[in-house]
Structures are given as C-alpha cells and as structure tokens.
Amino acid sequence: MVFDQVNGLPVHALVLHAAVVFVPLLALGAIVYALVTLWRPKIGWALGLLAVIAPISALVAKLSGTELYNRLIDEERVSPAGRAILDQHMDYGSMTAWISIALGVVSLVLVALTWRNPRALPRVADLAFAVVIVVLAGLSAYYVFKTGDSGATAVWGSY
C-alpha cells in the first residue's frame, strides 16, 4: 500500500520520471568512468551516487507500477488490449529495475576498486569491467526506452 497513492494520486505517476532521468545518467556515467580513466577522480563520487539512486528509483517505479496495475485490474478499468500493453510494460519495467541494479552494483565495485588509484586494476580487469558496463548500460538504456514507450502507449494510445 505504501507504493499505491499519495493524496489520491498514483505514486507511479509521481516517481517514474526519476527512473527515466537517473537510469540513463547512470548508464552514461558508468560508460565514461569505465572508459576514461583520467576522469575517474573527478566523477567517481557522482557515479557512486547514481549507482545507488538510479536502481532505487527504478525499483520504486516498478513497485508503484505494480500497485497501480493491480488497482486498475481489480477495478476492471482496463480493456483486454490495454491489459496486454500493460503486461508488456510491466515486463519491461521489471527488466529495467533488474538491469539497473546490476549496473549499479558493477559500477560501485569499479569505483571501490579504483577510488584511490584510477589505474589500480590490471589492464585485463579494466577491460572486462568496461565490456560489462557498456553491455549493461546499453541494455538499461534500451529497457528504459521500451518501458517508457509502452507506458506512454498504455496511457495515451487508443486501444
């Protein structure tokens, strides 16, 4: 119930934009941090904050979206076509949350390992982190887009 409503407004409508902003910022920051070692001392603190805030915002958006979905279904306010769109939106939102959590964890590990010395990692480990971060960042950007697009279709589409 915590994630359902605030003063009659769906929490989901209030918090989803945080994930839309913070998850792509995490993706971009993680890529820069992984690939540009000279910038690590300057942006490590920001990446550390984003690695915590972005997954939390995605998780809160997912949990509040689940509450909104359940209320709409219980009140029978969704057509069968609308339900299919919402089901897909829920799947995309779940993937966004999980991938942003993974990207946040990997980013925090990289920051922790390179905090005092940006070049502390062996070249192979640095390259491995870069590959994993680029893949996770790409996936997180893709799923944020797909989640937002399917959510906008659910709200504004004619179905």
Side-chain angles (χ1 to χ4, degrees), residues 21-138:
V21 171
F22 290 130
V23 172
L25 282 175
L26 170 60
L28 180 62
I31 288 172
V32 170
Y33 192 88
L35 298 178
V36 186
T37 56
L38 291 175
W39 287 15
R40 286 179 179 174
K42 293 175 176 56
I43 66 169
W45 65 271
L47 181 59
L49 284 174
L50 285 169
V52 173
I53 293 169
I56 289 172
S57 68
L59 186 60
V60 170
K62 180 208 175 312
L63 294 172
S64 63
T66 299
E67 289 293 325
L68 177 58
Y69 175 87
N70 290 337
R71 189 162 32 80
L72 291 173
I73 297 303
D74 288 347
E75 295 173 4
E76 298 180 2
R77 294 174 46 189
V78 179
S79 69
R83 185 173 182 152
I85 292 168
L86 286 175
D87 287 342
Q88 186 177 51
H89 176 65
M90 297 275 291
D91 291 343
Y92 287 141
S94 294
M95 288 301 294
T96 300
W98 285 113
I99 292 170
S100 69
I101 290 168
L103 180 58
V105 168
V106 172
S107 297
L108 283 174
V109 169
L110 181 58
V111 168
L113 292 174
T114 60
W115 184 256
R116 297 221 188 263
N117 180 0
R119 299 180 192 273
L121 295 176
R123 185 119 172 98
V124 168
D126 217 20
L127 181 60
F129 269 104
V131 169
V132 169
I133 283 175
V134 167
V135 168
L136 289 172

